[in-house]
């Protein structure tokens, strides 16, 4: 990431227009990684241009995968798949940067490759829990080591023969599920995974489309080892609903807003933000529903709304996991109280998103209280100007910028460059919508 940048965000008279969103980050990682171990070439259009997917590309390059950039905006890349046994030992440490998806998915893949890999990341990623992937990979027979008694990166993985397992995931985590699906592709025997809740299913959709045998759903899936390599196929990545979400909330809480977002992925395992905003009373329309890259997509139209508080817990948490800091901003502008519970996973994201969201929104005058597994926001009073910090967390940076757009005073955001992780054009799109 670049050097520390401060940004000033002032309230604007209107929020009006249309932006095209970056490609979905989760789907982009998968298109790159699955494409790398497929047989043949695949063109990936509208790939996420953020630093996280660049980390995945750099790691795959070190493992011997050739990629060619076909277009820079929107980003399009051709991946030359090396097949199931074509990866080679990297000459150096693999650096996943800030990206949990890169580290966890690659750990699953590398556990089955007959060579040594060392994976590291930035300070945030090196403090995030890796025991959740190391433990089941060890049960499958992998040799894995990590700092903190195997719970944190840097990770060392000596890949080799794996055995399929039946495993109940301790958390609803698509990163964990996908790591084990990747390991299961190369294991002896089937791997069955039971999930406590509905985490995003992009891996399952894409692996099936590429010829993998995956059975079951509703929280229990079984993957069979590959009998032939995955089939490469061109794909266009849908717009990222987690990026669209900033404009949806900005539009809903701004008094003079009308924003249209085209071609947004609305996979039901990701679309909790749409349900939450509707439950809060947002004027949100879903139009032109269709399909892109094996995923449901639609155009979204949001207009100024009178929001009310809601309670978020249970299955809604994994379905809104990356949008919860932003929903706290929506809740600040809503009438009544919003309670977020059973969201302890927020504490182990790019920052401790319970502590950082509560701390930074308090600085903007929001009546917000920290719970061990969530937060309570008493809406209607806050959102004044002030100085806030992203804590180097891209989602918090953009949520705070949205708070500034609809607020009653200037917000100065420190470490604003964090947006580059998933949405490098965020500030340009903000200027477009505010008419600057
Ligand atoms: C992701 C899954 C989620 C999400 C993250 C991306 C993915 O993490 O928070 O931003 O691409 O699989 P968990 O699966 O760990 O909840």
């Amino acid at each position: 990431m670049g050097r520390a940048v401060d940004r000033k965000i002032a309230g604007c008279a209107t929020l009006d227009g249309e932006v095209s969103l970056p490609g979905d980050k989760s789907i982009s990682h998968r298109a790159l990684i699955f494409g790398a171990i497929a047989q043949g070439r695949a063109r990936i259009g509208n790939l996420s241009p953020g630093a996280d997917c660049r980390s995945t590309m750099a790691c795959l390059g070190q493992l011997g995968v050739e990629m060619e950039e076909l277009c820079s905006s929107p980003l399009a890349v051709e991946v030359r798949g090396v097949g199931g046994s074509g990866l080679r030992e990297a000459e150096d440490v693999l650096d996943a940067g800030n990206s949990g998806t890169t580290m966890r998915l690659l750990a699953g893949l590398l556990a089955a490759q007959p060579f040594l890999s060392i994976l590291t990341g930035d300070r945030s990623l090196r403090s995030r829990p890796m025991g959740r992937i190391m433990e089941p990979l060890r049960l499958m027979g992998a040799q894995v080591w990590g700092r903190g008694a195997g719970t944190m990166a840097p990770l060392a993985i000596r890949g080799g023969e794996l055995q399929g397992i039946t495993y109940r995931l301790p958390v609803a985590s698509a990163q964990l599920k996908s790591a084990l699906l990747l390991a299961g592709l190369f294991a002896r025997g089937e791997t069955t995974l039971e999930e406590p809740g509905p985490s995003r299913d992009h891996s399952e959709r894409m692996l099936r489309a590429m010829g993998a045998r995956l059975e079951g759903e509703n929280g229990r899936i079984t993957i069979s080892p590959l009998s032939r390599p995955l089939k490469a196929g061109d794909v266009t990545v849908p717009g990222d609903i987690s990026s669209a979400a900033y404009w949806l909330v900005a539009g809903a809480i701004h008094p003079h807003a009308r924003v249209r977002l085209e071609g947004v992925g609305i996979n039901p395992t990701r679309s909790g933000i749409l349900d939450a905003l509707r439950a809060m009373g947002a004027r949100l329309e879903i139009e032109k529903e269709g399909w892109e890259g094996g995923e449901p997509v639609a155009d979204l139209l949001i207009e100024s709304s009178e929001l009310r508080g809601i309670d978020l817990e249970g299955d809604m948490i994994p379905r809104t996991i990356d949008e919860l800091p932003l929903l706290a901003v929506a809740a600040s502008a809503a009438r009544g109280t919003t309670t977020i519970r059973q969201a302890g996973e927020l504490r182990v994201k790019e920052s401790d998103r319970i502590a950082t969201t509560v701390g930074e929104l308090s600085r903007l005058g929001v009546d917000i209280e920290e719970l061990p597994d969530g937060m309570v926001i008493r809406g209607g009073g806050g959102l004044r100007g002030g100085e806030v910090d992203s804590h180097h967390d891209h989602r918090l940076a953009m949520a705070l910028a949205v708070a500034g757009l609809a607020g009653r005073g200037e917000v100065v955001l420190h470490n604003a460059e964090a947006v580059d992780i998933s949405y490098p054009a965020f500030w340009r799109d903000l200027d477009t919508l505010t008419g600057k």
Side-chain angles (χ1 to χ4, degrees):
M1 219 186 298
R3 63 186 174 82
V5 170
D6 291 343
R7 279 270 174 179
K8 291 184 180 154
I9 305 113
C12 54
T14 58
L15 204 62
D16 182 30
E18 202 172 303
V19 289
S20 43
L21 296 156
D24 185 278
K25 180 161 83 70
S26 291
I27 299 173
S28 296
H29 284 296
R30 287 152 173 86
L32 290 165
I33 295 173
F34 301 164
I37 54 165
Q39 194 80 61
R41 298 178 174 210
R43 288 168 178 239
I44 311 173
N46 200 33
L47 190 72
S48 165
D52 270 10
C53 287
R54 297 274 179 195
S55 295
T56 291
M57 282 197 270
C59 291
L60 291 172
Q62 283 180 264
L63 293 162
V65 181
E66 284 179 22
M67 283 154 289
E68 187 189 338
E69 191 168 314
L70 305 172
C71 176
S72 61
S73 182
L75 183 60
V77 168
E78 183 178 85
V79 183
R80 300 185 184 141
V82 297
S85 52
L87 296 178
R88 60 168 158 73
E89 186 173 86
E91 285 173 15
D92 204 343
V93 171
L94 299 165
D95 188 353
N98 191 242
S99 173
T101 309
T102 306
M103 179 166 287
R104 296 197 176 109
L105 267 59
L106 287 183
L109 172 62
L110 293 170
Q113 307 300 316
F115 50 72
L116 180 77
S117 302
I118 300 179
L119 278 157
T120 193
D122 68 7
R123 185 198 293 224
S124 153
L125 188 53
R126 279 184 275 114
S127 73
R128 294 178 63 188
M130 294 298 150
R132 57 177 66 179
I133 50 166
M134 303 295 262
E135 200 179 300
L137 288 175
R138 242 182 240 123
L139 290 174
M140 293 177 84
Q143 296 189 65
V144 289
W145 300 268
R147 214 162 53 81
T151 61
M152 284 179 290
L155 309 176
I157 301 173
R158 177 165 290 290
E161 288 207 351
L162 301 180
Q163 179 66 49
I165 51 170
T166 296
Y167 190 72
R168 183 165 173 79
L169 311 189
V171 278
S173 160
Q175 294 182 354
L176 169 54
K177 175 176 62 179
S178 304
L180 299 180
L181 290 175
L182 273 160
L185 284 177
F186 298 98
R188 246 179 299 118
E190 293 177 340
T191 296
T192 298
L193 305 174
E194 292 170 6
E195 267 203 292
S199 72
R200 59 195 68 186
D201 66 354
H202 305 305
S203 295
E204 294 92 307
R205 287 171 188 258
M206 199 178 284
L207 286 171
R208 277 197 179 108
M210 296 173 81
R213 248 188 72 201
L214 256 153
E215 270 151 36
E217 46 203 321
N218 289 338
R220 189 181 162 95
I221 43 169
T222 297
I223 190 158
S224 301
L226 284 175
S227 50
R228 65 183 88 87
L230 294 174
K231 287 191 302 272
D234 295 347
V235 57
T236 302
V237 177
D240 197 328
I241 189 167
S242 295
S243 301
Y246 300 103
W247 309 126
L248 295 179
V249 170
I253 67 178
H254 193 283
H256 305 287
R258 191 169 199 279
V259 178
R260 172 179 281 280
L261 305 159
E262 288 188 357
V264 183
I266 54 161
N267 180 318
T269 60
R270 291 284 297 285
S271 60
I273 178 73
L274 307 182
D275 299 336
L277 283 175
R278 279 187 159 164
M280 294 176 88
R283 293 165 66 202
L284 168 65
E285 298 297 329
I286 302 176
E287 296 171 352
K288 293 196 195 160
E289 290 188 48
W291 290 86
E292 188 77 91
E295 295 271 350
V297 295
D299 293 354
L300 306 176
L301 181 69
I302 186 81
E303 294 177 275
S304 311
S305 313
E306 295 279 320
L307 298 185
R308 54 182 174 267
I310 52 166
D311 290 337
L312 284 166
E313 60 185 13
D315 284 358
M316 273 301 274
I317 299 301
R319 295 184 62 232
T320 51
I321 190 72
D322 292 337
E323 287 68 68
L324 291 171
L326 178 67
L327 278 167
V329 173
S332 315
R335 243 181 316 111
T337 300
T338 294
T339 308
I340 302 173
R341 281 184 203 280
Q342 300 171 346
E345 271 297 286
L346 286 180
R347 295 210 181 267
V348 293
K349 293 294 180 187
E350 286 84 330
S351 67
D352 173 347
R353 286 186 180 155
I354 296 179
T356 53
T357 301
V358 170
E360 297 310 311
L361 286 182
S362 303
R363 290 170 186 271
L364 300 182
V366 177
D367 182 352
I368 182 168
E369 180 193 332
E370 183 167 347
L371 303 176
D373 65 345
M375 57 193 97
V376 180
I377 306 110
R378 290 173 202 91
L383 290 181
R384 58 166 189 249
E387 270 190 56
V388 289
D389 198 308
S390 76
H391 297 260
H392 306 284
D393 180 335
H394 58 130
R395 304 236 177 262
L396 188 65
M398 292 184 274
L400 292 169
V402 168
L405 275 183
R408 291 191 295 260
E410 186 179 76
V411 168
V412 178
L413 172 63
H414 300 301
N415 294 307
E417 74 291 347
V419 306
D420 291 349
I421 289 294
S422 59
Y423 196 168
F426 178 80
W427 301 114
R428 185 200 68 196
D429 288 349
L430 187 150
D431 286 347
T432 304
L433 292 176
T434 56
K436 274 200 196 145

